[in-house]
Amino acid sequence: MTDASTQTDTRTERGATWLSGAGLRPTRQRVALAGLLVGDGRDRHVTAESLFEAAGKSGEKVSLATVYNTLRAFCDAGLLREITVDGSKSYFDTNMTDHPHFYWEDDNRLSDAPAEQLEIARVPDAPEGAEIASVDVVIRLRRS
């Protein structure tokens, strides 16, 4: 087997394992997208568009609508966290631990910020009949 073929097999295997751990049916497209997300064992932040582009470069035939639907399914299964910036731009994070993010305005990129440096003293009480599901911290950066 070639190195590229071995690398593809490893990505596919990791993607399939990631899906099965969440009880998701491992369709060909889900496994392919999961492999792109977690196949190298590293956490990443993607947009639907960047994942669609990566899929195309890898030779995977998948529509942008399928990418959106698959990312939604991964979020619903607890595999990804959606981080919304500007109320319209969504990034999907494979790192499910609680941590803040830097949003780099100059190149529209999201990256992890050091969680150990963040201190939140208090969070407002949720209104009656509601509970806080999560707190997302996005720190916007601009190159000086």
Side-chain angles (χ1 to χ4, degrees), residues 19-96:
L19 292 175
S20 68
L24 284 177
R25 191 166 54 89
T27 65
R28 180 190 58 78
Q29 292 174 320
R30 282 180 178 172
V31 170
L33 294 174
L36 291 169
L37 288 167
V38 301
D40 62 2
R42 296 181 15 207
D43 285 317
R44 59 185 25 85
H45 304 92
V46 299
T47 61
E49 294 78 9
S50 70
L51 185 58
F52 173 73
E53 185 178 319
K57 286 180 181 175
S58 75
E60 186 62 37
K61 301 266 191 255
V62 61
S63 71
L64 183 57
T66 296
V67 171
Y68 273 105
N69 291 336
T70 301
L71 288 170
R72 175 63 37 227
F74 290 177
C75 286
D76 291 346
L79 293 172
L80 293 177
R81 174 184 299 155
E82 182 176 9
I83 310 295
T84 304
V85 179
D86 287 336
S88 61
K89 186 79 167 170
S90 288
Y91 292 82
F92 298 89
D93 189 356
T94 58
N95 179 351
M96 294 300 290

Side-chain angles (χ1 to χ4, degrees), residues 4-5 8-9 34 43 46 82 97 103 106 112 114 119-120 130 139:
S5 161
T8 300
D9 288 347
D43 285 317
V46 299
E82 182 176 9
T97 64
Y103 176 69
D106 298 331
D112 291 338
E119 292 182 29
I120 298 177
I139 302 157

